[in-house]
Amino acid sequence: SQPLVVTHPRYLDYKQEIEVSTNAPNTLRVRMKRPMIALRVQSTPSKATVTFNKRRVGKAPLKRNMPAFESVQVTVSSPGYQTYKRKVYPKKNTTVNARLRKLKTTSQARCRWLGRRFYSATLRLPFAEQAPPWKSRFEPSPELSKRVA
């Protein structure tokens, strides 16, 4: 029995005891494994959803063990913020700092009371700078006016 050690950069060493025979050639199949490392993800704002290769892994900040030296697509998202995407090739002490940008405008309606019968409403849509502003003046129905008066 002889010790066999197979080494390759970026892989764990493979060690096995083998029997050596001089009569016939032997074939040995080896499946080498990548070392495991911790990948950290931090985000601003915190509690953003984190996915690795389209699989949800949790909320930021988080730390996950994964194989080193294999590319992973990291996606960090939160409602009202732009999605952060980055391809990462993790090595020792890899940290992803995702700084999410707030969308310029979010879907929100502002209403202002103008008296007994009228109010104005302004609706802001995402990416409002590309769309015309929505401003409307609404009048309640005559039946509603009677109830209010």
Side-chain angles (χ1 to χ4, degrees), residues 20-33:
V20 179
S21 158
T22 57
N23 297 341
N26 290 326
T27 303
L28 177 66
R29 290 184 182 255
V30 175
R31 174 169 268 188
M32 299 183 74
K33 295 181 180 179

Side-chain angles (χ1 to χ4, degrees), residues 79-93:
Y81 292 87
Q82 274 186 327
T83 301
Y84 174 91
K85 290 183 181 181
R86 182 173 159 201
K87 194 164 202 149
V88 178
Y89 189 73
K91 300 175 188 170
K92 189 176 181 183
N93 299 326

Side-chain angles (χ1 to χ4, degrees), residues 33-128:
K33 295 181 180 179
R34 300 273 190 182
M36 298 298 283
I37 55 107
L39 177 62
R40 291 177 179 81
V41 178
Q42 299 173 346
S43 73
T44 304
S46 60
K47 306 292 185 205
T49 303
V50 179
T51 60
F52 292 163
N53 294 333
K54 298 181 181 179
R55 284 188 155 173
R56 186 175 175 199
V57 292
K59 302 264 184 189
L62 63 81
K63 177 181 169 182
R64 290 287 185 269
N65 288 329
M66 58 185 329
F69 308 108
E70 290 182 4
S71 294
V72 61
Q73 178 73 37
V74 177
T75 306
V76 183
S77 61
S78 185
Y81 292 87
Q82 274 186 327
T83 301
Y84 174 91
K85 290 183 181 181
R86 182 173 159 201
K87 194 164 202 149
V88 178
Y89 189 73
K91 300 175 188 170
K92 189 176 181 183
N93 299 326
T94 300
T95 301
V96 175
N97 292 310
R99 191 168 289 242
L100 303 180
R101 291 187 207 164
K102 195 162 185 135
L103 291 174
K104 299 216 182 217
T105 55
T106 57
S107 297
Q108 52 182 269
R110 275 200 256 166
C111 296
R112 192 176 67 182
W113 183 252
L114 297 177
R116 266 191 177 174
R117 296 185 182 198
F118 297 100
Y119 66 91
S120 70
T122 304
L123 179 64
R124 294 186 179 171
L125 301 172
F127 309 104

